[in-house]
Amino acid sequence: MRTKPVLIAVAFAAIAVPSAAYAGERVWGSGETRTSAMDDAERRGRVVAAEKHTCITTHATPQNCTQDAGGWSCWVTVANEHGSCAN
């Protein structure tokens, strides 16, 4: 029966693909405005990236931000491995 190996391959791909997209650490910033929260996330991300000797792979964008009663929160993703960086 050949369906079992195919199902195993599909299950593995479903697990492997999303984890590759999220290979990194999400670093949050906050501020009274969306712009200040984006700047804070970028600043905090640069600090974490420098400590890890890696880079920011997903920069702060308006889509990476949420607003609540206390202001804005935004995130960046810092690579876990230097090999994830283009440089």
Side-chain angles (χ1 to χ4, degrees):
M1 188 173 211
R2 300 195 127 206
T3 58
K4 192 171 185 177
V6 172
L7 291 176
I8 292 170
V10 170
F12 178 78
I15 293 169
V17 171
S19 63
Y22 296 108
E25 177 181 349
R26 194 169 277 188
V27 178
W28 289 86
S30 60
E32 291 183 15
T33 66
R34 183 167 45 193
T35 300
S36 64
M38 289 171 63
D39 291 343
D40 187 47
E42 289 284 335
R43 182 186 57 76
R44 290 172 186 258
R46 284 191 302 273
V47 169
V48 172
E51 290 171 354
K52 292 175 139 186
H53 303 289
T54 61
C55 61
I56 295 174
T57 56
T58 304
H59 290 273
T61 65
Q63 293 79 18
N64 298 357
C65 299
T66 56
Q67 185 180 23
D68 61 21
W72 287 87
S73 297
C74 303
W75 56 267
V76 299
T77 304
V78 175
N80 289 331
E81 303 283 332
H82 184 72
S84 300
C85 301
N87 309 18

